[in-house]
Amino acid sequence: MSTLDRAAVEQALAQYQDPYLKTDLLSCGCLRRLEISGGQVEAELVLGYAAGSLVGGIAQMLQMAVENVDGVTSAKVSVRCEIEAGAVQGQVAALANVKNVIAVASGKGGVGKSTTAANLALALAREGAKVGVLDADIYGPSMGLMLGLPEGTRPETREGKWFVPPRAHGIQVMSMAFLVDDNTPVVWRGPMVSGALMQLLTQTAWDDLDYLVVDMPPGTGDIQLTLAQKVPVTGAVIVTTPQDLALLDAKKGIGMFEKVNIPVLGVVENMAIHICSNCGHAEHLFGEGGGERLAAQYNVELLGSMPLSMMIREQADGGKPTVVAEPECQISMVYQDMARHAAARITALNGAGAMPEISISED
């Protein structure tokens, strides 16, 4: 095959614009192998983020595009995901067996941060990634309950110094709630809390995670800043609601991550709209468009806008968050889209991938 024909094959592969990376797959370095022998073409592309539900459809589209190139007699195109480790802030050492840490944070409590963290983690797992969750809200740990782990769950230990995280719905979970009595309040000062969280993080035997989702405590005080400086965070997701008070606190959260050079992957707006279950009337109870304005102000993505839904609350309280309780419903699809956007943002921040291996032979 001639050089011109090879260029035509590459042009065909470049027709697909990835909606999450916002470019074609050749420009962002996803083409790993291109072999051309006579009229036969084989191509392998690798997405650096969790998108397992999409790869089959992408491969089919690209194969059809290559088959339409003049001179191609047969084509085989494969697409797979290979999660990359993102950069972390400053000189903070990476965690063993964890590629990426995603902090889910908010400036204030009561905005649905933990529910978002749980569904985000489960959505990443549904996309084929190995995922863990660390419940960093020492004063009000709820992740075990949300993920259906029974009261009194305790982690196993390994070699007397490692916690083995329990698993729920296919993801690894670690929480202070597993180490203290549910009815005993944690009355600790900031340094004690920070120390306990660092122990949970570094002394848990995470099993080769692609993503560790950290459900951060609400606020932007000493505890949060210490964690942001000591934990190797790849990126942060900011959760807010549309009203002005929540947006003001969310801005403080974004500012905190900017101070420690942690990129904000995007904003999630909860309780954006309420639809009456009786009459179907839609109403913006807490204001309208706040999350979109916040994202635009800080030049970050609006990852998702979620409704004020009794279903989301009931399913989380029941131990089966929406993504696993009703995986095909519209709300779950929004969470899946949110997860792909956040994961792709990490890949985009890493820049281009490896150069492809190109093999050409004449018949």
Side-chain angles (χ1 to χ4, degrees), residues 69-347:
V69 174
D70 288 342
V72 173
T73 57
S74 67
K76 182 179 179 181
V77 178
S78 65
V79 182
R80 61 184 173 86
C81 298
E82 187 176 289
I83 312 302
E84 302 169 350
V88 300
Q89 74 277 25
Q91 301 299 314
V92 181
L95 283 177
N97 301 321
V98 178
K99 291 182 180 178
N100 298 286
V101 176
I102 300 175
V104 179
S106 64
K108 67 187 296 293
V111 297
K113 172 181 53 61
S114 295
T115 302
T116 298
N119 279 291
L120 174 63
L122 292 167
L124 287 168
R126 284 197 70 209
E127 295 294 339
K130 294 189 69 174
V131 182
V133 174
L134 175 66
D135 190 349
D137 193 349
I138 293 291
Y139 298 117
S142 58
M143 198 56 65
L145 173 67
M146 283 190 177
L147 294 172
L149 291 169
E151 184 177 340
T153 294
R154 297 288 183 266
E156 296 180 3
T157 58
R158 181 185 300 166
E159 299 173 4
K161 60 180 180 178
W162 301 102
F163 295 117
V164 179
R167 295 178 183 250
H169 306 302
I171 64 176
Q172 302 167 45
V173 189
M174 194 60 199
S175 171
M176 179 58 71
F178 301 157
L179 307 179
V180 298
D181 185 273
D182 289 349
N183 298 316
T184 303
V186 178
V187 186
W188 291 348
R189 294 188 183 274
M192 293 178 65
V193 175
S194 298
L197 285 178
M198 290 305 298
Q199 282 190 291
L200 280 182
L201 186 69
T202 59
Q203 292 182 221
T204 297
W206 304 109
D207 184 13
D208 294 329
L209 297 181
D210 295 312
Y211 303 101
L212 174 61
V213 176
V214 180
D215 182 21
M216 296 279 284
T220 55
D222 177 68
I223 297 172
Q224 290 76 17
L225 189 58
T226 300
L227 290 174
Q229 290 173 330
K230 292 185 177 181
V231 177
V233 180
T234 312
V237 172
I238 301 296
V239 182
T240 186
T241 52
Q243 72 264 43
D244 291 341
L245 180 60
L247 293 170
L248 181 63
D249 289 338
K251 291 177 183 179
K252 295 177 183 177
I254 294 175
M256 179 191 71
F257 287 111
E258 288 181 341
K259 283 181 180 295
V260 292
N261 298 316
I262 294 173
V264 174
L265 305 177
V267 171
V268 175
E269 182 185 53
N270 282 331
M271 310 179 200
I273 190 171
H274 175 254
I275 300 175
C276 179
S277 57
N278 291 323
C279 67
H281 174 68
E283 189 171 11
H284 297 275
L285 297 178
F286 300 106
E288 184 176 358
E292 187 175 3
R293 291 193 301 274
L294 179 67
Q297 179 180 349
Y298 287 92
N299 195 30
V300 297
E301 288 191 60
L302 179 64
L303 299 176
S305 186
M306 309 304 299
L308 178 60
S309 167
M310 185 180 296
M311 180 183 77
I312 296 176
R313 192 272 302 168
E314 289 177 340
Q315 290 169 341
D317 285 352
K320 291 188 69 176
T322 306
V323 168
V324 292
E326 295 190 41
E328 304 304 323
C329 76
Q330 184 177 2
I331 290 176
S332 289
M333 293 299 101
V334 176
Y335 279 124
Q336 292 295 141
D337 187 66
M338 178 195 306
R340 291 190 290 264
H341 272 292
R345 181 62 182 151
I346 293 173
T347 300

Side-chain angles (χ1 to χ4, degrees), residues 1-2 5-6 9 35-42 70-74 359-363:
M1 224 180 204
S2 67
D5 292 325
R6 178 170 64 85
V9 172
E35 295 182 359
I36 302 173
S37 178
Q40 298 178 335
V41 177
E42 287 193 20
D70 288 342
V72 173
T73 57
S74 67
S359 174
I360 305 171
S361 64
E362 300 282 356
D363 273 357

